[in-house]
Amino acid sequence: MLNHIALMGRLARDPELRHTQSGLPVTSFSIACERDFKDANGEKVTDFIDIVAWRSTAEFVSKYFTKGRMAVVDGRLQLRDWTDRDGNKRRSAEIVANSVNFGDSKPQTQAAPAASYAAAGTPAGGDYGYGGLEDDGDLPF
């Protein structure tokens, strides 16, 4: 049997880090995934998918991801049956993340806009870790 899901979307809210009674870190968040097609009104439909991450993945997500960041989630679908306060039986679906990765580049901060890099003698936008190399032809690999 196979239960494997890969999703890419933007965080719809900031992750919430909690700890179980035994001390295990767990983070829950939602991502917004736009469908590939439009509805009858010609508008794109967006699904909001609940994600839960455990242990080091939970800590990673809570530390580095915020609302609006693009995330690539690899995991499995989990269905949970539960009873609400009125005694009605409910079922919810969520993705249990095996891994979560960045789907976008690091966002610019207000403290270091691209113009300040140019003023410091670095090409506009920074050198992106290439040590000031001008183009791909100068890369050592």
Side-chain angles (χ1 to χ4, degrees):
M1 299 293 163
L2 180 65
N3 183 354
H4 182 253
I5 297 205
L7 299 167
M8 183 173 181
R10 296 201 178 273
L11 269 71
R13 58 184 166 89
D14 287 336
E16 300 171 16
L17 180 65
R18 302 178 313 279
H19 289 83
T20 65
Q21 290 180 348
S22 61
L24 283 176
V26 58
T27 298
S28 58
F29 59 100
S30 294
I31 61 171
C33 297
E34 199 172 71
R35 294 184 186 179
D36 292 336
F37 56 89
K38 296 180 180 179
D39 65 8
N41 297 326
E43 297 178 10
K44 288 235 177 185
V45 177
T46 301
D47 294 310
F48 293 88
I49 300 168
D50 294 328
I51 313 287
V52 63
W54 293 87
R55 297 178 179 81
S56 60
T57 303
E59 292 171 333
F60 173 75
V61 169
S62 69
K63 185 173 181 179
Y64 294 107
F65 284 85
T66 57
K67 179 180 178 180
R69 289 295 308 262
M70 182 73 71
V72 179
V73 178
D74 179 70
R76 63 180 172 84
L77 179 64
Q78 174 176 280
L79 299 174
R80 291 187 300 127
D81 294 317
W82 50 282
T83 305
D84 67 13
R85 294 179 190 178
D86 300 328
N88 299 318
K89 293 191 179 215
R90 302 281 186 175
R91 174 174 272 191
S92 59
E94 62 191 5
I95 305 302
V96 178
N98 293 329
S99 66
V100 179
N101 295 293
F102 295 107
D104 57 3
S105 59
K106 184 176 181 182
Q108 288 281 342
T109 62
Q110 294 293 345
S116 69
Y117 290 114
T122 306
D127 67 4
Y128 300 102
Y130 296 124
L133 301 175
E134 294 291 323
D135 62 38
D136 290 347
D138 292 337
L139 292 176
F141 51 88

